[in-house]
Amino acid sequence: MSRSNLFLVGGVIIAALAIFLNFDTENAKKSKVADLDNKLNIYNWSDYIAEDTISNFEAETGIKVTYDMYDSNEVLEAKMLAGSSGYDLVVPTADFLARGREAGAYQDMDMSKISNVKNQSPQIQAQADEMTGSTNAGLVYMWGSTGIAYNEEMIAERLGDDAPIDSWALILDPVNAAKLEDCGIAVLDAPTDVLPNIMTYLGYNGTSTEEAHFEAAGEALTAIRPYLRYINSSQSINDIANGDICAAIMWSGDAFQAAYRAEEAENGNVIDYYIPNEGTNLWFDVMAIPADAKNVENAHKFVDYMMRADVAAENVNYVWYASGNKAAEASIDPEILSHPGIYPTDEAKEKLFVTPVYDAKTDRIVTRVWNRFLAGN
Amino acid sequence: MNYFLQRFGRLFVIWLPLVWLILFFMLPLIEMINVSFSEAKRAVPPYNPAFQFGPDGISFQPVADNYLLIYKYWEDYLWPAINSIRLAFFSTLYCLLLAYPMAWWIARSNKPLQHILLILVLMPFWTSSLLRMYALIGLLNPNGFINDILIWAGFIVTPIQMMQTDFSIYSGMVLSYLPLMILPLYASLVRLDSSIIEAAADLGARKLDIFKTIILPLSVPGIIAGCLLVFIPAVGEFVIPALLGGPEQLMLGKVIWTEFFRNRDWPVAAAIAIILIAIIILPIVYARYQDKEGIS
């Protein structure tokens, strides 16, 4: 072997080692934490908690928290279904929790250990419990809607005063979509949060599981697909804040985070969000304990802490989602509490629905319709 | 004693890679085949293994449903598959066209420079590929660096749409996979005896002839190795089209992702992966086998 070849092989080995060692330090960090007795491993959505909540909890209880983040229910679910995730507390959306419980991936929460459960809004909790089919599945952390986020100026420039800033038609009417193509439209890559809403736009019931209704929704989406910039769930927050896109089907809190980022950046983009008057789906993110959690006691302590009115209010003021915590409302920023996009008016509430927990056959229909929309045929 | 050490050393050198391959390549592959013949169900894990060592002994109940389902909805899988193969093919082609002159230049440089250039080629591997893709997004966005510069310099008025196009996808693919093409090309070009080229030149061969009749044929093993190294992972590439591509580019990687994460159907996801392996790998293995037969 010539010297230069030796060098080449050496380089490849070093590169491989660098990758390998990188993994190794990751694991070492985890196992070090595992050596301590008083610990708690949390897996939550990204950008979904106030900056000092975890450190305050650690200071108060002496429990060492490892806090990891995900950005889709699917990623969390795959970890739960594979088992031995190592996490003690996770925050799935209620329909995913319902399926996970069916598979035996979650354990019941002992509500007698959570004294602050009295702060929870009974109406919100009842809606989530109906989906999971149990009052012990977990407690709702935040809830929200799927709607449309838009850049006020860019929409006004292109659609004038006629812009239907109260309807799904802003994006779903091909005439509007064509006019907005140049400034950029995005759609969430979350079929269960998009297809049922398109069904309400078409006049069907959002909770329908009929194949024909899904097909119709898919066709309506395919009609505007040539005008879409992309279909993605995590990219639109930044892009709409920067003015790279001007309208998007988004989750409520994401839209307000974008609005906040644009304000911070002082780039002149004013972002707002609305719940279309045809109706939209509500979702509930629930704090729940995996079946194989090792620090069950600490998980309960953390949930109890999160259910404190002051802690819950701080989190809402930071992430701009509606809380499941009723008692927190006294300390929530009035701007948030009075925004119809976050806490919907009673009138709007009547049009809100909860997407049912689909069975495997419906899952397959939803995915097939969605993939055809993605592929454009 | 010395004899034993030597013997043990030799065994170790031979067996270590073999054990590694069996543990981290063969066993996962066999497990994937096993999952692809299993029945999906709501449980942890979300399937009923076709083959398993249970408390009641060994059970073996394979089902073909997953493959039948793919057969039934073949149109939904065919287009993403064609997209993926097209993406992999052109990514490989662009990598080859860019890497060949680079590899040639590195191979013909003096030794100290060669070492520096090789380090530069390997350097991108030291940063997470995800970070590199996000850096690329920052460059190509409508309000990104390149558009800002062009608008500032007065070349264009409105931003050029570079993101979510074929251009952005291929930029990302070439950025990620180029080193895998350069290294084997370099390895074959550096071994090329320069006296052959000199001899050809002395005999009056033009530069193009030298390249066509001497350099290119002698570097064929490097080209094959490089193309395989780029093409095979590129077919299953998921992250780059997802980050840089628009809605038109539905790739097989994404289809497997949706089967796995959205339908929670691990068996069907595994079955697609197995079919993909069969379509891509088997012809390559067959071609290599034919090659060997031909030589002997």
Side-chain angles (χ1 to χ4, degrees):
Chain A
M1 194 181 267
S2 74
R3 252 192 74 192
S4 60
N5 268 352
L6 208 67
F7 192 88
L8 179 71
V9 170
V12 172
I13 290 173
I14 288 170
L17 269 179
I19 295 166
F20 183 74
L21 286 175
N22 197 16
F23 277 117
D24 210 22
T25 49
E26 261 327 88
N27 286 337
K29 245 187 274 167
K30 278 206 182 110
S31 66
K32 216 187 246 171
V33 172
D35 289 341
L36 297 165
D37 272 323
N38 210 4
K39 62 195 197 298
L40 177 64
N41 299 327
I42 301 172
Y43 199 37
N44 194 2
W45 293 84
S46 51
D47 293 321
Y48 210 36
I49 195 164
E51 274 165 327
D52 54 0
T53 307
I54 295 297
S55 51
N56 290 346
F57 173 74
E58 286 181 319
E60 203 174 296
T61 59
I63 293 168
K64 175 87 191 81
V65 175
T66 307
Y67 189 82
D68 291 339
M69 290 171 282
Y70 53 89
D71 74 344
S72 80
N73 269 313
E74 285 88 354
V75 170
L76 168 66
E77 184 174 49
K79 276 208 172 145
M80 291 300 122
L81 292 182
S84 319
S85 67
Y87 292 108
D88 306 309
L89 189 79
V90 296
V91 192
T93 305
D95 50 336
F96 282 82
L97 176 58
R99 263 191 304 265
R101 284 177 67 83
E102 217 180 296
Y106 293 95
Q107 57 178 287
D108 281 350
M109 201 176 268
D110 184 350
M111 296 300 169
S112 69
K113 287 179 182 159
I114 299 162
S115 60
N116 288 321
V117 72
K118 61 180 190 293
N119 292 337
Q120 189 75 330
S121 155
Q123 289 92 342
I124 298 295
Q125 188 59 42
Q127 291 191 68
D129 287 348
E130 199 190 318
M131 293 183 83
T132 55
S134 161
T135 53
N136 298 315
L139 290 169
V140 174
Y141 175 48
M142 302 269 183
W143 58 279
S145 56
T146 310
I148 292 181
Y150 65 103
N151 182 316
E152 288 182 355
E153 197 187 310
M154 290 182 181
I155 300 292
E157 265 172 27
R158 286 164 182 81
L159 296 177
D161 296 335
D162 303 337
I165 306 184
D166 58 355
S167 163
W168 290 109
L170 181 74
I171 286 177
L172 286 170
D173 184 340
V175 177
N176 293 334
K179 287 182 187 155
L180 298 178
E181 186 191 0
D182 72 303
C183 65
I185 310 172
V187 171
L188 281 176
D189 190 7
T192 51
D193 280 336
V194 176
L195 291 175
N197 293 325
I198 313 293
M199 291 198 260
T200 68
Y201 170 68
L202 297 174
Y204 304 121
N205 196 329
T207 57
S208 162
T209 53
E210 263 180 59
E211 186 164 1
H213 295 170
F214 285 112
E215 300 271 0
E219 277 162 31
L221 277 172
T222 305
I224 58 157
R225 208 193 61 96
Y227 312 117
L228 298 181
R229 185 72 58 80
Y230 55 75
I231 297 141
N232 186 302
S233 299
S234 46
Q235 217 171 319
S236 14
I237 299 187
N238 260 329
D239 284 357
I240 201 163
N242 292 336
D244 287 334
I245 57 171
C246 62
I249 297 183
M250 277 174 94
W251 290 306
S252 46
D254 283 5
F256 292 110
Q257 273 178 46
Y260 178 74
R261 282 184 202 178
E263 214 178 297
E264 286 280 285
E266 293 180 10
N267 57 14
N269 294 316
V270 180
I271 313 299
D272 207 354
Y273 168 90
Y274 64 87
I275 296 176
N277 59 20
E278 294 93 348
T280 188
N281 70 317
L282 282 182
W283 44 257
F284 307 91
D285 286 342
V286 182
M287 295 183 276
I289 304 174
D292 53 7
K294 291 196 177 64
N295 306 293
V296 177
E297 280 304 309
N298 286 347
H300 282 90
K301 276 184 198 160
F302 182 77
V303 173
D304 193 36
Y305 180 80
M306 294 290 273
M307 289 306 299
R308 263 168 46 177
D310 57 325
V311 175
E314 268 174 47
N315 285 327
V316 173
N317 291 336
Y318 184 78
V319 303
W320 285 60
Y321 275 108
S323 177
N325 198 311
K326 184 83 183 156
E329 285 176 14
S331 320
I332 290 174
D333 188 341
E335 201 189 335
I336 299 175
L337 214 51
S338 63
H339 197 300
I342 304 175
Y343 283 93
T345 59
D346 287 340
E347 192 196 346
K349 268 186 191 158
E350 283 170 23
K351 294 280 183 109
L352 301 178
F353 62 91
V354 175
T355 310
V357 182
Y358 297 143
D359 57 17
K361 186 172 154 274
T362 313
D363 274 341
R364 205 155 261 296
I365 295 169
V366 167
T367 307
R368 196 165 62 244
V369 166
W370 192 254
N371 273 352
R372 280 185 185 159
F373 156 57
L374 291 180
N377 50 39
Chain B
M1 190 63 208
N2 209 353
Y3 169 77
F4 272 113
L5 261 182
Q6 218 174 21
R7 215 187 140 87
F8 178 76
R10 197 172 294 160
L11 276 178
F12 185 74
V13 165
I14 294 169
W15 279 96
L16 187 69
L18 200 62
V19 169
W20 175 278
L21 273 178
I22 289 171
L23 272 182
F24 297 109
F25 180 73
M26 280 314 284
L27 285 183
L29 186 66
I30 290 168
E31 173 62 11
M32 204 157 77
I33 294 171
N34 183 17
V35 174
S36 81
F37 283 105
S38 303
E39 200 179 351
K41 69 169 183 186
R42 266 185 201 162
V44 179
Y47 57 88
N48 201 10
F51 174 84
Q52 64 177 331
F53 303 102
D56 333 311
I58 296 168
S59 77
F60 184 61
Q61 294 156 312
V63 292
D65 297 12
N66 309 307
Y67 290 94
L68 291 175
L69 186 128
I70 295 168
Y71 176 68
K72 190 176 162 198
Y73 294 109
W74 62 274
E75 284 171 89
D76 291 337
Y77 301 102
L78 182 67
W79 285 110
I82 289 172
N83 270 345
S84 290
I85 290 170
R86 186 182 57 105
L87 172 87
F89 175 79
F90 283 106
S91 301
T92 310
L93 185 69
Y94 298 149
C95 278
L96 180 63
L97 292 179
L98 272 171
Y100 205 99
M102 287 190 206
W104 173 256
W105 183 54
I106 297 172
R108 295 294 118 182
S109 307
N110 59 40
K111 282 285 159 191
L113 185 61
Q114 253 181 36
H115 293 171
I116 293 169
L117 292 173
L118 282 174
I119 288 180
L120 288 177
V121 168
L122 284 172
M123 201 109 92
F125 277 133
W126 298 4
T127 341
S128 149
S129 92
L130 205 57
L131 275 182
R132 278 180 282 145
M133 289 309 116
Y134 272 99
L136 195 63
I137 292 175
L139 286 178
L140 300 179
N141 256 346
N143 290 342
F145 186 73
I146 294 176
N147 273 314
D148 281 356
I149 292 272
L150 289 177
I151 290 174
W152 175 78
F155 289 122
I156 52 170
V157 183
T158 50
I160 304 169
Q161 180 61 43
M162 289 180 284
M163 277 298 295
Q164 289 97 33
T165 60
D166 273 359
F167 174 74
S168 59
I169 294 189
Y170 286 119
S171 304
M173 295 295 285
V174 170
L175 185 66
S176 289
Y177 288 107
L178 196 60
L180 296 179
M181 184 66 92
I182 293 180
L183 294 181
L185 280 178
Y186 161 80
S188 71
L189 287 174
V190 80
R191 256 178 274 152
L192 206 141
D193 190 346
S194 54
S195 58
I196 305 176
I197 298 169
E198 282 158 22
D202 286 347
L203 292 171
R206 285 171 304 151
K207 285 207 163 125
L208 191 64
D209 288 330
I210 296 177
F211 178 72
K212 273 200 304 202
T213 55
I214 297 172
I215 301 173
L216 196 61
L218 284 174
S219 61
V220 162
I223 294 176
I224 291 176
C227 287
L228 288 182
L229 279 177
V230 174
F231 186 83
I232 293 173
V235 172
E237 181 61 51
F238 167 66
V239 175
I240 294 172
L243 283 179
L244 303 174
E248 296 84 28
Q249 293 94 357
L250 183 63
M251 304 295 167
L252 213 49
K254 170 84 177 178
V255 171
I256 295 175
W257 186 94
T258 51
E259 288 294 348
F260 188 89
F261 286 99
R262 236 163 229 157
N263 291 342
R264 299 148 196 103
D265 202 331
W266 295 16
V268 168
I272 299 173
I274 296 292
I275 293 173
L276 185 67
I277 291 175
I279 292 173
I280 304 295
I281 309 288
L282 289 185
I284 293 169
V285 173
Y286 179 74
R288 301 292 277 182
Y289 176 74
Q290 288 290 75
D291 224 24
K292 289 238 175 69
E293 292 275 282
I295 289 164
S296 64

